[in-house]
Amino acid sequence: MEKSRRKVYRLGVMGGTFDPIHYGHLVAAEMARTEFALEKVLFVPTGNPPHKSGRRVSPAALRYEMVKRSLADNPFFDISAVEIERSGPSFTVDTLRQLRREWPEHELYFITGTDALREIFFWHESEEILNLTHFIGASRPGFDAGDFLRKSESEKPQVIHRIHLLEVPALAISSTDIRARVAGGKSIRYLLPENVRQFIQENSLYLTKR
Ligand code: NAP
């Protein structure tokens, strides 16, 4: 008798501070979805990022609202408040554990900037994180990920097959640049969805340099 094969579902988990979200993030998520056959991509704005203490980050509720507005027209994108509803530092390991409970049939693919990802060996409970998910590192054009991959291979040869890189030309757009442009009175039109640009204006975000 033929053995029944269990279908494997894949869930993309797009982790970021998103201060603010922009088209680079949205293109990266869409490219990851199609390249890795993800059933959907869940955007998870960070709550209280432990690696950003001492830096000014916009309130989680405002960053969440900007992400929510930007996803409205893509049926494959959704948002999760899992990190912003959790008190204390926003550790990725806690998020992945919770998502594994909520999506038991799915393999997780954690998508974030390669810049952030190359620190994963120093993240809280990194061993456990590496067991819970695949990683997709989205990089800007010209970003050299060679060091990161060599380090991963020598330190964690057993997980290297779970780390994937994706070059995303649209990531030439950056949140840092957008904040600086607003502070400098420059236009940010066409760098991010129009409803997010309006939200930034209505809430007087990023008016001072940080
Ligand atoms: P970041 O240090 O602000 O960003 C590093 C780089 O990655 C920036 O160039 C950033 O560009 C880009 N980037 C960030 N999120 C991205 C995304 N989803 N897709 C494509 N590029 C992205 O990184 P972060 O946003 O604070 O953190 C990224 C994720 O790593 C979050 O989910 C965070 O919780 C997690 N993390 C966890 C720990 C931990 O558990 N200990 C430690 C560090 C990070 P933009 O500035 O344009 O976004």
Side-chain angles (χ1 to χ4, degrees):
M1 211 167 41
E2 210 178 287
K3 270 192 192 164
S4 66
R5 280 226 189 123
R6 198 172 67 88
K7 182 163 169 31
V8 177
Y9 298 98
R10 296 174 168 185
L11 175 72
V13 180
M14 182 79 170
T17 302
F18 303 127
D19 195 16
I21 188 154
H22 53 67
Y23 278 130
H25 299 129
L26 294 165
V27 171
E30 181 66 3
M31 279 177 67
R33 182 183 77 77
T34 53
E35 302 257 323
F36 293 87
L38 308 176
E39 197 191 350
K40 69 152 66 195
V41 178
L42 204 56
F43 283 65
V44 184
T46 55
N48 171 16
H51 56 299
K52 292 205 167 155
S53 57
R55 269 188 48 192
R56 211 144 51 92
V57 174
S58 303
L62 297 182
R63 292 184 286 109
Y64 179 89
E65 185 57 33
M66 289 190 279
V67 173
K68 194 170 143 204
R69 286 175 181 226
S70 73
L71 306 186
D73 59 358
N74 189 330
F76 298 105
F77 288 176
D78 213 338
I79 185 167
S80 165
V82 52
E83 290 201 3
I84 70 167
E85 284 171 353
R86 201 170 56 221
S87 55
S90 237
F91 290 126
T92 299
V93 68
D94 298 328
T95 303
L96 293 171
R97 281 193 184 117
Q98 182 161 345
L99 293 177
R100 278 292 277 264
R101 283 195 296 274
E102 290 174 11
W103 300 82
E105 301 276 295
H106 287 67
E107 274 182 2
L108 302 182
Y109 280 72
F110 188 81
I111 312 159
T112 196
T114 310
D115 259 357
L117 218 48
R118 61 178 164 191
E119 303 294 320
I120 46 173
F121 302 115
F122 305 104
W123 290 8
H124 186 60
E125 292 194 47
S126 64
E127 287 284 332
E128 178 67 356
I129 293 184
L130 291 162
N131 288 328
L132 286 168
T133 187
H134 284 255
F135 290 94
I136 302 175
S139 62
R140 305 198 147 92
F143 177 91
D144 180 12
D147 275 358
F148 168 61
L149 285 181
R150 277 188 290 278
K151 188 164 182 262
S152 309
E153 191 139 36
S154 67
E155 288 194 16
K156 301 278 171 203
Q158 70 280 22
V159 296
I160 189 72
H161 66 284
R162 286 172 157 249
I163 299 177
H164 318 275
L165 297 180
L166 189 64
E167 189 179 288
V168 182
L171 273 176
I173 302 172
S174 89
S175 300
T176 305
D177 176 58
I178 289 175
R179 293 193 303 270
R181 283 175 168 273
V182 176
K186 295 184 181 161
S187 171
I188 56 168
R189 216 181 268 270
Y190 311 124
L191 296 175
L192 71 186
E194 179 58 13
N195 57 5
V196 177
R197 188 189 69 80
Q198 285 169 3
F199 186 86
I200 290 171
Q201 204 168 35
E202 285 157 17
N203 289 276
S204 307
L205 297 180
Y206 315 127
L207 291 179
T208 53
K209 203 162 184 211
R210 24 171 137 153

